[in-house]
């Protein structure tokens, strides 16, 4: 429709770059009212989004016009959101604003639509010759299909042309995709008809088209203002064109560039990545020349930053016209006034920089500041950094429901029931703040801690029965706690294990289990779980899911968790109001048409702003053009418009991270273009950060001073020092006295890992247990099938310890090789050995200055030899002590066992040691190895070890002797549970810093 008539010129306006759009719009409407309080309520204002509606209400309160003080009460216009270019945020015109003439079918609920589309996808995959799809996969595909359906409706295209899109010469992949998409025109309209509903985008189109038709035939007598709407959506362009023709209609555009020449404007019309492209398309569709568009209101001046406007226009000019940069005149440095740039080392430094900028703005009375970024991770970091100063701020772009407390709790409850009550999912659910299980939260936390302590180590058997078996019969309170947890889960675990369950029944059981687990002693689960904005959104989602699944076919319970995760991933919780009156964090959609005194444009890297091109699994770029729907470049143009509009604030800071997760980043194309223009304009290097802010970022986490604490030197009284240690602990005492202090005096014991995999230590324990039983059964003569007997004992012990198939597959072949080597070794020694003794316990008492000291031992094996002497053997499935350690006395285990043997302290075993041997049972190649450490004279080694022990005990019997942490670093133990307490690594790092070159 051509609108070039004289009556039209007065009806199209623009709010120039640099002016706050909504504040200026409100001031203009108040001027038009002229003090008539009945004028504004008769005005209808059409805006892009609901957030713009809310922001315009606030702008009216701030507005300053002659005859009215800011904040004075007034009757507001009728404000209606009519849609946005992002199909995920389109808002339909409500029926209440339309009248009976425009009544249309309701929109199909989004969850219902995705589940219905998922059923189509599942049925398609179930056909012969195709790969069947799981429900979770189908739901993910359904979400993509729903976006395609909305995009086709938004762009005014039709699936009737689908068959013409894929010529036979194209790849087989596109042929298959085209056949898959045929489910939409063939089945989807019939499904919607049965539902009595429309797709949201189609419904919005019909509402807008009928509203346009109604206004065309029955023009309203009251004013209508279309503000901030752009082109790109045919139905939206139609309503704008109709408003422009109304006698009392007005169209207000945002930041229209009226200064570029015709050649550049023609290039803009062809360049979909340009920020003015959609405005150019809209004006072309309306048949309006830019010269006919005036400022709003008519008496208004140009934008607040004309030099910056020209700079940005040059930086973002179409690529086809960038040769103009060669002829560009010099810019005045005033064009950079109020503009700064921060290239931060990483994302965390960028977040700190932004937080400092926002916090500093609060020092100016009444000033406002906002972060605008599409990077939600950066937004969360900035919100966290602002808490340094007790500033609580919301990200108005919202938080995924799955990341909120109730959303996380729902996922954890599902993970608990679906994991056969494995320790990690179990404790993750029980430690969530919402979990109480019908008890007082403090009592519930205490019981959870006790349960965690009890089940650490290898995973218990599956289910609550396995949990009870792991606890045993002596823990009545914990067993009762497990019963309570099982009662909270109800039928959910059984339903998840079933082969066919109605989806609505699964969702209902899921919600009921979550409510039971969330209940406390004074509040119901619903009261605790569904409170506040996130809880209300979670309740709405669960209710809609149960309702949407009412008549769908059953599915396997094991498929429900993935389906739930796919459905909840796209649900966003947006705050109803900002928590802070002067600071805000906006996404790109929320920032449109809004402005603050300071605007920080954050995350200006390629892939973030602008985002990476949307991957379309359904159509190639050329297919989209042929199908008459927008190509990915359209989204870049929209993001560019958002960037330019936000950059019109009085103060603007541009920030980016040079590295993200250690990977170098690429600056946003707009920053690169800005750099190029500044070089051409003679302002290269003039866009810099504020030195004060830059310096503050480096100092904010800098400590006031560094005073290293001395390493621990505890000197407990003699009465607290241990008087009984084993031979293995003597070695620890020599290498790391602090470990003895922590274990035996402080009584600190390292907790086992949760759901621990069997380790080499577990292999050693199992091997020791097997060999102990074998030796006890056959102390003298071996059976004829000794190898098979030993392997049989091994299977019995390993099955009890290595319940996981992966662990069994890794460790059992090693034991088979160990067993065969060991039997061969025993057969070769039968004439030398009279008797084999296993796990012999003994102790030796020493009279020392501090009192009697007891040395204990449990020898792996003692062989009585035919010559009358004994052979002491220690099994090692890991490393064997090196010769230098043995010679220096830092591996005293076997020699001290020899001392106990000589003293007759191994029960009835009394005599001298003919040899001291380590048997290394590693199961590799070779499978085993014997190593004699006595060098033919074990008596000398035994005497030296006993003498060192006496000296060690005597030294620590002196109360002034400290328990140092690793006094001799060269003899540091390979493993220690107390390394973090000893802080030796700090000293080593400090020493390295002092001595490092440079």
């Amino acid at each position: 429709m051509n609108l070039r008539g004289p009556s039209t010129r007065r009806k199209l306006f623009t709010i120039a770059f640099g002016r706050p759009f909504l504040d200026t719009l409100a001031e203009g409407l108040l001027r038009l009212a002229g003090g008539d309080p009945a004028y504004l309520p008769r005005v209808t204002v059409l805006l892009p989004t609901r957030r713009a509606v809310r922001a315009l209400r606030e702008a009216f309160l701030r507005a300053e016009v002659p005859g009215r003080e800011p904040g004075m009460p007034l009757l507001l216009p009728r404000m209606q959101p009519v849609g946005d270019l992002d199909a995920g945020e389109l808002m339909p015109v409500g029926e209440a604003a339309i009248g009976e003439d425009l009544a249309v079918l309701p929109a199909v609920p989004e969850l219902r639509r995705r589940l219905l589309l998922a059923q189509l996808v599942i049925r398609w995959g179930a056909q012969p010759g195709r790969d069947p799809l799981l429900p979770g996969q189908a739901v993910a595909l359904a979400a993509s299909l729903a976006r395609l359906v909305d995009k086709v409706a938004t762009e005014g295209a039709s699936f009737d042309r689908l068959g013409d899109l894929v010529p036979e010469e194209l790849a087989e992949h596109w042929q298959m995709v085209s056949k898959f998409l045929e489910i939409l025109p063939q089945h989807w309209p019939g499904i919607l008809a049965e539902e009595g509903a429309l797709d949201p985008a189609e419904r919005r189109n019909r509402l807008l088209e009928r509203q346009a038709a109604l206004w065309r035939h029955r023009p309203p007598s009251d004013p209508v203002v279309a503000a901030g709407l752009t082109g790109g959506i045919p139905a939206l362009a139609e309503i704008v064109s109709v408003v422009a023709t109304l006698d009392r209609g007005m169209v207000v555009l945002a930041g229209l560039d009226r200064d570029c020449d015709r050649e550049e404007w023609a290039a803009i019309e062809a360049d979909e990545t340009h920020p003015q492209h959609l405005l150019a398309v809209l004006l072309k569709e309306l048949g309006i020349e830019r010269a006919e568009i005036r400022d709003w209101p008519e008496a208004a001046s140009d934008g607040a930053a004309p030099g910056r406007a020209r700079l940005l226009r040059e930086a973002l000019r179409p690529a086809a016209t960038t040769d103009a940069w060669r002829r560009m005149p010099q810019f005045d440095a005033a064009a950079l006034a109020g503009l700064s740039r921060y290239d931060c080392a990483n994302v965390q430094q960028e977040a700190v920089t932004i937080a400092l900028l926002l916090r500093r703005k609060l020092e100016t009375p009444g000033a406002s500041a906002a972060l605008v970024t599409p990077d939600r991770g950066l937004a969360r970091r900035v919100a966290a950094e602002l808490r340094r100063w007790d500033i609580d701020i919301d990200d108005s772009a919202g938080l995924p429901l799955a990341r909120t407390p109730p959303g996380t709790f729902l996922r954890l409850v599902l993970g608990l029931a679906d994991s056969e009550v494995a320790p990690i999912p179990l404790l993750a659910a029980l430690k969530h703040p919402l979990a109480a299980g019908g008890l007082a939260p403090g009592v519930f936390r205490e019981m959870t801690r006790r349960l965690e302590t009890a089940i650490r180590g290898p995973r218990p058997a599956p289910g609550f029965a396995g949990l009870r078996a792991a606890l045993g019969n002596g823990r009545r309170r914990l067993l009762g706690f497990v019963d309570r947890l099982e009662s909270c889960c109800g039928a959910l675990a059984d339903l998840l294990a079933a082969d066919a369950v109605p989806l609505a029944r699964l969702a209902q059981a899921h919600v009921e289990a979550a409510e039971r687990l969330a209940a406390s002693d004074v509040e119901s689960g619903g009261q605790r779980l569904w409170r506040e904005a996130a809880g209300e959104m979670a309740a709405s989602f669960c209710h809609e899911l149960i309702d949407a699944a009412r008549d769908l076919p059953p599915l396997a319970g094991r498929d429900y968790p993935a389906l739930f995760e796919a459905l909840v991933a796209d649900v966003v919780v947006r705050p109803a109001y900002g928590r802070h009156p002067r600071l805000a964090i906006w996404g790109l959609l929320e920032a449109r048409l809004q402005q603050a005194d300071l605007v920080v444009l954050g995350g200006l890297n390629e892939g973030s702003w602008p985002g990476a091109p949307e991957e379309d699994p359904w159509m190639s770029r050329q297919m989209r053009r042929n199908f008459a729907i927008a190509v990915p470049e359209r989204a870049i143009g929209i993001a560019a418009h958002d960037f330019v509009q936000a950059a019109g604030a009085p103060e603007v800071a541009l920030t980016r991270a040079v590295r993200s997760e250690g990977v170098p980043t690429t600056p946003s194309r707009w920053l690169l273009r800005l750099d190029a223009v500044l070089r051409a304009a003679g302002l290269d290097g003039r866009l810099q950060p504020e030195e004060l802010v830059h310096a503050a970022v480096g100092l904010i986490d800098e400590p006031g001073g560094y005073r290293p604490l001395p390493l621990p030197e505890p000197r407990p009284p003699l009465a607290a020092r241990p008087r009984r240690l084993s031979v293995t602990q003597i070695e620890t005492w020599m290498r790391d006295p602090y470990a003895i202090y922590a274990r035996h005096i402080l009584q600190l014991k390292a907790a086992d890992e949760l759901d621990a995999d069997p380790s080499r230590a577990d292999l050693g324990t199992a091997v020791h247990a097997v060999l102990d039983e074998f030796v006890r059964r056959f102390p003298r003569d071996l059976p004829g099938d000794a190898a098979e007997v030993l392997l049989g004992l091994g299977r019995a012990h390993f099955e009890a310890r290595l319940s996981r198939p992966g662990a069994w597959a890794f460790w059992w072949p090693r034991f088979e090789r160990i067993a065969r080597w060991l039997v061969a070794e025993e057969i070769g020694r039968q004439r030398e050995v009279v008797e084999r003794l296993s796990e012999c316990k003994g102790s030796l008492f020493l009279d020392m200055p501090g009192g009697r000291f007891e040395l204990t031992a449990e020898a792996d094996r003692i062989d009585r030899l035919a010559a009358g002497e004994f052979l002491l053997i220690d099994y090692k499935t890991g490393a064997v002590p090196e010769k230098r350690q043995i010679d220096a006395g830092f591996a005293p285990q076997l020699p001290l066992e020899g001392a106990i043997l000589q003293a007759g302290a191994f029960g009835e075993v009394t005599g001298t040691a003919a040899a001291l041997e380590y048997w290394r049972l590693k199961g590799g190649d070779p499978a085993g190895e014997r190593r004699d450490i006595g060098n033919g004279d074990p008596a000398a080694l035994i005497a030296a070890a006993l003498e060192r022990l006496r000296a060690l005990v005597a030294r620590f019997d002196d109360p002034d002797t400290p328990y140092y942490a690793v006094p001799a670093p060269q003899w540091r133990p390979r493993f220690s549970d107390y390394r973090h307490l000893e802080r030796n690594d700090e000293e080593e790092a400090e020493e390295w810093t002092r001595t490092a070159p440079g």
Side-chain angles (χ1 to χ4, degrees), residues 2 5 43 74 77 94 104 153 158 225 248 301 310-311 370 383 421 489 581 583 586 591 613 637 697 729 821 847 913:
N2 193 313
V43 177
L74 75 162
V104 296
S158 172
V225 180
R248 306 194 68 182
S301 62
R310 178 168 161 253
L311 178 67
V421 201
C489 284
L583 299 184
W586 294 327
V697 171
Q729 291 164 348
W821 176 87
D847 292 324

Side-chain angles (χ1 to χ4, degrees), residues 893-912:
Q893 179 183 348
L894 274 178
L896 290 178
E897 288 180 2
I900 296 174
L901 175 68
Q902 289 181 351
F906 273 124
E908 299 178 356
V909 183
T910 305
T912 59

Side-chain angles (χ1 to χ4, degrees), residues 55 150 282 978:
D150 284 340
L282 178 63
Y978 309 101

Side-chain angles (χ1 to χ4, degrees), residues 459-753:
R459 175 185 293 190
F464 287 101
L467 208 56
R468 292 188 190 92
L471 294 175
N473 297 323
R475 295 171 173 171
R476 184 174 302 174
R477 286 193 66 193
L478 279 181
L479 290 172
F481 184 62
V482 171
D483 293 340
R484 177 182 290 271
L485 297 179
E486 185 174 20
S487 176
C488 289
C489 284
L492 182 58
D494 293 335
L495 290 175
L496 290 173
D499 293 330
V501 189
L503 176 56
R505 177 73 186 96
L506 276 166
Q508 184 70 41
H510 181 192
V511 171
E512 291 171 353
E515 288 186 339
R516 285 191 293 266
L517 190 60
S520 70
D521 57 333
V522 295
E523 289 183 297
S524 69
Q527 290 175 311
R528 301 186 75 231
L529 188 56
W530 313 126
R531 63 175 45 156
E532 299 181 351
E536 291 174 5
M537 178 62 74
S540 175
F541 169 79
C542 292
H543 177 78
E544 186 179 350
L545 175 58
I546 294 170
D547 183 62
R550 60 187 180 274
D551 55 358
L552 297 181
L555 75 160
R558 61 182 175 275
D559 294 330
Y560 174 72
L563 183 145
F564 180 84
E565 289 281 352
L567 289 174
V568 79
D570 293 333
V571 182
V572 177
V573 181
R574 289 185 172 86
Y577 300 97
R579 293 189 183 181
H580 200 282
R582 294 165 56 197
L583 299 184
I585 297 177
W586 294 327
L588 301 189
L589 182 68
E590 290 73 29
R592 288 173 195 167
L593 309 185
Q594 298 199 73
Q595 196 178 91
D597 297 312
L598 165 66
V599 172
V600 181
L601 307 183
L604 284 169
N605 283 324
E606 285 293 306
S608 176
W609 195 0
E614 179 185 359
E615 294 184 5
D616 189 346
W618 310 118
M619 295 184 186
S620 66
R621 189 181 302 270
Q622 188 58 45
M623 290 167 63
R624 288 167 71 110
R625 290 191 184 277
N626 295 341
F627 200 58
I629 62 176
V631 294
E633 284 76 9
R634 172 79 62 83
I636 296 177
I638 296 171
H641 188 264
D642 293 334
F643 170 77
V644 172
Q645 286 297 101
E651 292 182 59
V652 176
L654 312 175
T655 72
R656 62 175 292 261
V658 176
R659 286 180 172 269
S660 177
E661 297 182 356
V663 179
T665 60
T666 302
S668 169
R669 63 191 66 189
W670 304 316
L671 289 182
L672 295 176
R673 280 170 157 260
L674 190 58
D675 288 341
V677 169
L678 291 176
R679 283 194 296 271
L683 295 176
D684 190 17
R686 299 290 293 274
L687 183 57
Q688 293 290 332
E690 289 189 56
E691 287 299 329
L692 182 62
V693 175
H694 184 69
V697 171
L699 296 174
I700 192 168
D701 289 321
E702 190 74 21
Y706 175 65
R707 187 182 65 184
L709 294 175
L711 292 179
E713 299 180 9
R715 291 175 172 83
L718 181 60
R721 302 190 178 207
R723 308 306 302 171
R724 183 177 187 270
L725 292 174
S726 69
V727 291
T728 54
Q729 291 164 348
I730 296 299
E731 179 175 342
T732 303
W733 198 7
M734 299 174 69
R735 294 172 180 265
D736 186 4
Y738 187 87
I740 296 298
Y741 168 77
R743 178 68 183 89
H744 294 276
I745 300 175
L746 299 183
Q747 299 294 311
L748 299 178
K749 183 180 179 182
D752 294 329
E753 290 186 11

Side-chain angles (χ1 to χ4, degrees), residues 674-899:
L674 190 58
D675 288 341
V677 169
L678 291 176
R679 283 194 296 271
L683 295 176
D684 190 17
R686 299 290 293 274
L687 183 57
Q688 293 290 332
E690 289 189 56
E691 287 299 329
L692 182 62
V693 175
H694 184 69
V697 171
L699 296 174
I700 192 168
D701 289 321
E702 190 74 21
Y706 175 65
R707 187 182 65 184
L709 294 175
L711 292 179
E713 299 180 9
R715 291 175 172 83
L718 181 60
R721 302 190 178 207
R723 308 306 302 171
R724 183 177 187 270
L725 292 174
S726 69
V727 291
T728 54
Q729 291 164 348
I730 296 299
E731 179 175 342
T732 303
W733 198 7
M734 299 174 69
R735 294 172 180 265
D736 186 4
Y738 187 87
I740 296 298
Y741 168 77
R743 178 68 183 89
H744 294 276
I745 300 175
L746 299 183
Q747 299 294 311
L748 299 178
K749 183 180 179 182
D752 294 329
E753 290 186 11
L754 278 171
D755 209 352
D757 287 318
S759 62
R760 184 172 289 277
D762 295 300
L763 172 67
T765 302
V767 169
H768 278 70
V770 172
L771 297 184
D772 176 46
E773 184 173 351
F774 182 74
V775 171
R776 290 183 186 277
R777 284 193 184 187
F778 309 103
R780 291 180 174 80
D781 298 324
L782 297 178
D785 57 346
E788 295 305 319
V789 171
L790 185 54
L791 289 172
L793 293 175
R795 288 188 189 93
H797 284 270
F798 272 63
E799 284 177 356
R801 294 177 179 273
L802 304 181
S803 58
R804 300 185 187 180
W808 180 274
F810 186 76
W811 291 120
W812 178 250
R814 290 176 175 266
F815 178 76
E816 286 185 313
R817 292 190 288 271
I818 290 171
R820 300 188 190 285
W821 176 87
L822 193 66
V823 168
E825 191 68 27
E826 297 290 1
I827 291 174
R829 300 174 61 248
Q830 282 196 96
R831 293 184 179 181
E832 303 175 16
V833 180
V834 174
E835 183 181 13
R836 305 174 185 85
L837 305 170
S838 179
E839 303 295 339
C840 300
K841 295 182 179 180
S843 59
L844 176 64
F845 292 94
L846 302 177
D847 292 324
M848 302 302 299
R852 178 178 262 196
F853 183 88
E854 183 180 5
L855 174 69
T856 66
E858 187 170 348
D860 288 346
R861 181 167 156 185
I862 301 177
D863 284 0
R864 191 190 303 273
L865 304 179
E869 296 178 307
F870 293 89
L871 170 64
L872 276 169
I873 299 172
D874 188 64
Y875 302 131
K876 292 289 186 185
T877 55
V880 173
E882 300 174 2
K883 185 177 184 302
R884 66 185 187 92
Q885 295 174 333
I886 296 170
D887 293 343
F890 282 90
Q893 179 183 348
L894 274 178
L896 290 178
E897 288 180 2

Side-chain angles (χ1 to χ4, degrees), residues 23 47 136 174 215 239 270 354 406 436 500 575 626 681 881 891 910 916 918 982:
D23 289 273
L47 293 162
W174 293 117
W215 279 346
I239 199 75
I354 296 170
N626 295 341
T910 305
L916 308 174
Y918 285 113
E982 297 170 348

